[in-house]
Amino acid sequence: MSLFQQVTIVDGGEESPLRWRTAKVQQLFLYLVQHRGTAVNKTVIIELLWPELEPEKAYHQLYTAIYHIRKTLAPFSKYFQISNTSEGYKVRLEQTILDVDQFERFFRSDLSLSAETIGEYEQAIALCKGDYLQEHNYIWAESERRYPLEEIAYFYLMKIFADMGRHSSVHKQYDQLTSVLWKELQEQPNPAITEWYHLWKQKNKE
């Protein structure tokens, strides 16, 4: 399933954009996917999507939206399971790989850049077709958004300089990345990059 730029499901090599009854139904589904594996409280959902409604009407909208999500996902029921909890709803993914998770796992790998591994780096770049949920202006998605291609470019350089033994250049690239992200987004680097950098520093104490 792709969450970079356009939301699509890839099944058997074919892309299937999901068609939603309303924008609120789509937003609820994507919010549950962002919190996949975790129960989201009904009151949190209502405050996010229907804060202006009376409780009775808001809960009716919520139940109707969940019904339409299940109906839309019926052809893909083997991939998505929406379960009720005592206070909310939880989405569980089955036999499904999210592009954002693939990208995160690549970042967390300690794979050195070389002629043998360049293909894996290219595959990681190819995943980044755009920003996270780029086509949707959801405030709650901002915390997940980065400049993935810009970040991975810095990460490439950090790994190249690390392999070359140019320690000062590794520090410089990380510092520049941190500065750029904070200036433009008030964000820290991807946690996986920071984790790699600190592990590298521990292995290369100067």
Side-chain angles (χ1 to χ4, degrees):
M1 182 176 177
S2 173
L3 294 180
F4 283 127
Q5 194 177 34
Q6 184 183 31
V7 178
T8 56
I9 293 176
V10 181
D11 187 9
E14 294 187 5
E15 291 190 358
S16 303
L18 295 170
R19 307 297 181 188
W20 298 101
R21 184 176 179 84
T22 68
K24 288 285 181 70
V25 172
Q26 179 183 48
Q27 184 174 178
L28 175 54
F29 168 69
L30 293 175
Y31 187 76
L32 291 174
V33 169
Q34 178 165 304
H35 295 85
R36 53 197 175 277
T38 302
V40 181
N41 194 288
K42 292 177 184 177
T43 58
V44 172
I45 296 172
I46 287 173
E47 289 173 5
L48 176 71
L49 298 178
W50 300 283
E52 75 286 356
L53 297 183
E54 294 293 325
E56 184 177 347
K57 291 183 178 180
Y59 276 100
H60 176 73
Q61 291 292 329
L62 172 59
Y63 300 145
T64 301
I66 291 293
Y67 166 79
H68 286 300
I69 289 175
R70 286 176 168 146
K71 187 175 180 180
T72 299
L73 294 177
F76 309 101
S77 58
K78 65 180 179 181
Y79 303 126
F80 300 95
Q81 299 292 327
I82 299 180
S83 58
N84 294 21
T85 67
S86 58
E87 297 182 349
Y89 297 96
K90 178 167 62 175
V91 163
R92 189 173 70 251
L93 307 183
E94 302 285 352
Q95 307 175 54
T96 303
I97 300 174
L98 297 183
D99 55 357
V100 292
D101 287 344
Q102 285 181 284
F103 192 74
E104 190 74 16
R105 280 196 295 272
F106 173 79
F107 261 133
R108 292 187 180 281
S109 69
D110 194 18
L111 190 67
S112 297
L113 181 62
S114 67
E116 290 74 25
T117 62
I118 190 65
E120 294 179 60
Y121 275 79
E122 290 173 343
Q123 289 176 12
I125 289 180
L127 291 171
C128 302
K129 301 172 184 176
D131 284 340
Y132 176 73
L133 298 180
Q134 180 176 313
E135 296 185 347
H136 307 287
N137 189 29
Y138 302 145
I139 294 176
W140 50 263
E142 289 300 322
S143 62
E144 297 293 322
R145 289 187 174 134
R146 296 278 191 266
Y147 286 164
L149 292 181
E150 185 171 355
E151 281 191 288
I152 202 170
Y154 277 100
F155 194 39
Y156 270 13
L157 289 173
M158 288 165 63
K159 286 196 168 187
I160 290 172
F161 289 136
D163 289 343
M164 295 173 65
R166 294 174 57 179
H167 295 186
S168 61
S169 296
V170 177
H171 295 305
K172 182 178 179 180
Q173 292 299 317
Y174 182 78
D175 290 343
Q176 287 181 347
L177 172 60
T178 301
S179 176
V180 167
L181 287 177
W182 186 254
K183 181 179 180 180
E184 298 181 3
L185 297 173
Q186 287 72 56
E187 291 280 357
Q188 296 296 326
N190 186 295
I193 296 180
T194 300
E195 182 180 347
W196 179 92
Y197 176 66
H198 288 308
L199 287 173
W200 173 83
K201 284 205 303 183
Q202 289 178 4
K203 293 177 183 177
N204 298 273
K205 291 182 179 179
E206 298 168 358

